[in-house]
């Protein structure tokens, strides 16, 4: 399906063991994503922290039948592991250190990100930013980011 949809599209996918969600971001959602992403980048640059922003790149583990395209993802602590790579393969490379989900719906695919091992997830739901850290394979709400 990803091959048929192509890489130049406005939709994002989430796949979890036979269930496929195809989502289309809204203008306000994209504006908020850009604002928060710019803030993250500015903070990382201010603290002179190397990072790589990979946007909504497809994150997948085929063996576990899980795939998702986040609104934005960042390699920070593990940036060096993916530096210069044209694509990321989660069977060999670490997952992004931080994923940003702009969520106008009542849910985020937490179970997919947990299975992929993404250490930190930020979820923005209209006016509130919630941060989650992966602990013992499950996300727990936290007050501050690593």
């Amino acid at each position: 399906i990803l091959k048929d949809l192509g890489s130049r599209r406005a939709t994002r996918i989430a796949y979890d063991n036979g269930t496929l969600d195809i989502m289309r971001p809204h203008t306000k959602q994209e504006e908020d994503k850009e604002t928060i992403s710019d803030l993250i980048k500015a903070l990382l640059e201010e603290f002179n922290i190397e990072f790589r922003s990979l946007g909504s790149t497809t994150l997948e583990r085929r063996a576990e039948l899980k795939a998702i395209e986040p609104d934005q993802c960042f390699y920070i602590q593990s940036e060096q592991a993916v530096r210069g790579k044209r694509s990321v393969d989660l069977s060999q490379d670490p997952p992004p250190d931080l994923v940003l989900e702009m969520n106008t719906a009542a849910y985020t695919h937490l179970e997919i990100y947990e299975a992929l091992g993404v250490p930190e997830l930020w979820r923005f739901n209209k006016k509130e930013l919630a941060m989650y850290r992966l602990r013992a394979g499950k996300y727990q709400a936290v007050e501050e980011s690593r």
Side-chain angles (χ1 to χ4, degrees):
I1 291 174
L2 283 175
K3 189 180 271 187
D4 287 342
L5 289 172
S7 61
R8 294 181 181 249
R9 59 189 156 85
T11 57
R12 295 201 179 94
I13 63 97
Y15 182 80
D16 190 6
N17 198 26
T19 301
L20 175 66
D21 286 336
I22 300 175
M23 300 150 288
R24 182 171 180 182
H26 302 286
T27 303
K28 178 65 174 146
Q29 184 178 347
E30 287 294 294
E31 287 174 350
D32 291 342
K33 176 196 76 167
E34 289 300 317
T35 300
I36 294 171
S37 294
D38 288 348
L39 176 63
I40 292 169
K41 292 172 189 176
L43 287 169
L44 291 167
E45 288 171 358
E46 179 66 26
F47 290 110
N48 201 26
I49 297 172
E50 293 289 328
F51 69 94
R52 186 167 182 202
S53 171
L54 291 183
S56 60
T57 194
T58 305
L59 306 172
E60 65 182 318
R61 285 226 171 98
R62 290 182 184 204
E64 297 176 30
L65 301 175
K66 308 260 187 226
I68 196 159
E69 294 172 335
D71 290 310
Q72 180 65 275
C73 67
F74 295 89
Y75 280 86
I76 304 166
Q77 291 90 349
S78 57
E79 178 272 337
Q80 196 168 24
V82 296
R83 184 181 295 164
K85 291 191 173 191
R86 294 185 62 86
S87 64
V88 174
D89 179 353
L90 294 187
S91 69
Q92 301 171 21
D93 300 315
D97 298 296
L98 174 62
V99 161
L100 176 61
E101 280 288 339
M102 308 309 292
N103 203 351
T104 56
Y107 68 96
T108 298
H109 297 90
L110 295 177
E111 64 285 344
I112 298 174
Y113 290 116
E114 289 170 343
L116 296 177
V118 174
E120 192 166 327
L121 177 124
W122 291 11
R123 180 177 166 217
F124 184 76
N125 193 356
K126 296 185 182 175
K127 295 182 181 179
E128 181 177 270
L129 180 66
M131 292 181 260
Y132 301 90
R133 194 165 304 134
L134 194 61
R135 293 186 177 143
K138 295 287 181 193
Y139 282 114
Q140 295 179 359
V142 294
E143 294 293 319
E144 61 185 47
S145 174
R146 293 180 4 180

